[in-house]
Amino acid sequence: TQLIDALLNKFFPEPMFRNDALECLTEIGNLTDLDPQYDPLFRKLFAGFITRLNGIFSPETDLGPAFENGSEDDCIFLQRLALFLSGFFKAHLKVLETAESQQALLTGMFYLVRVSEVPDTEIFRICLEAWHMLAQDLYQAEHKFQSSVGTGANVLNLGSSGHSNGSANGNGGSSRKFMYGPVLTGVRQVMIANMAKPEEVLI
């Protein structure tokens, strides 16, 4: 706990030590298969990190110019930020899906959307792993939910409002899908922007 506090509150805010502190926090945030008694520590770590990160830039910041025109340290920071957020979500997504951590979780997701927009193949690949995990998890949860309520509805609720059977107010897959709705909208925009474009046909 003292190590995490020192990394978050002493070293991470200082530009000189920020990248090294972030690398250490990433190692901690990627730890898995721990006893549930450590879950509150990970929630506290993530909430504290998001607070500190917000002091550096907001979730609405366009990071493309910072990557393209920034220093080498800026580029390293964005890559390590991608590693931290992606790794933390893959390791502790369910741990963060609580009422007390939901706001920090969604804010962190929006930060990852911004990082995903950075014009760098390696950073995009890192972020893509987290988005693939989230999409797969939501799909499986939704499929399980639809099966449990005995509906024949499309798993993705295409062509419907998605609010049937009161699922948005329950604890099933649909409630999670709607919680992540705004984030997924941003992810779709990033994916479309990064799709391969056909070459122009000159006649």
Side-chain angles (χ1 to χ4, degrees):
T1 302
Q2 292 181 346
L3 173 60
I4 293 175
D5 287 342
L7 289 170
L8 271 181
N9 302 315
K10 183 177 181 180
F11 295 109
F12 185 71
E14 297 294 330
M16 182 184 301
F17 304 112
R18 183 170 295 152
N19 286 340
D20 291 333
L22 184 52
E23 186 174 21
C24 294
L25 290 170
T26 300
E27 292 294 327
I28 296 172
N30 276 266
L31 294 174
T32 58
D33 300 322
L34 299 178
D35 193 279
Q37 72 182 41
Y38 294 104
D39 289 353
L41 266 179
F42 283 107
R43 295 190 191 103
K44 181 180 179 182
L45 163 58
F46 192 78
F49 179 82
I50 293 301
T51 298
R52 288 298 183 184
L53 186 60
N54 193 55
I56 301 172
F57 65 91
S58 73
E60 293 79 30
T61 303
D62 181 2
L63 299 177
F67 182 84
E68 294 180 313
N69 305 318
S71 65
E72 182 180 356
D73 284 342
D74 293 333
C75 297
I76 292 173
F77 172 73
L78 290 175
Q79 184 177 56
R80 291 184 180 176
L81 180 59
L83 288 168
F84 174 84
L85 292 172
S86 179
F88 207 103
F89 291 145
K90 288 189 292 183
H92 306 291
L93 182 65
K94 294 295 193 300
V95 172
L96 295 174
E97 289 182 341
T98 64
E100 64 179 294
S101 300
Q102 180 174 317
Q103 187 56 54
L105 168 61
L106 293 178
T107 301
M109 289 278 184
F110 282 117
Y111 272 115
L112 189 59
V113 170
R114 296 285 83 82
V115 176
S116 301
E117 296 171 342
V118 170
D120 180 80
T121 302
E122 180 62 21
I123 290 178
F124 181 70
R125 184 191 64 79
I126 294 168
C127 298
L128 193 61
E129 292 178 1
W131 298 132
H132 178 267
M133 176 277 300
L134 178 63
Q136 184 179 47
D137 188 49
L138 292 176
Y139 179 88
Q140 291 174 346
E142 181 72 6
H143 181 72
K144 182 177 180 181
F145 174 77
Q146 294 290 355
S147 299
S148 69
V149 298
T151 67
N154 188 304
V155 172
L156 296 178
N157 286 338
L158 297 177
S160 68
S161 64
H163 290 274
S164 60
N165 302 311
S167 59
N169 296 321
N171 294 320
S174 287
S175 62
R176 294 178 68 228
K177 183 182 65 177
F178 290 118
M179 179 181 75
Y180 289 118
V183 172
L184 295 176
T185 297
V187 175
R188 281 194 294 270
Q189 294 171 345
V190 173
M191 295 301 142
I192 292 172
N194 282 274
M195 288 175 63
K197 309 293 192 302
E199 295 183 3
E200 293 184 356
V201 178
L202 300 178
I203 300 177

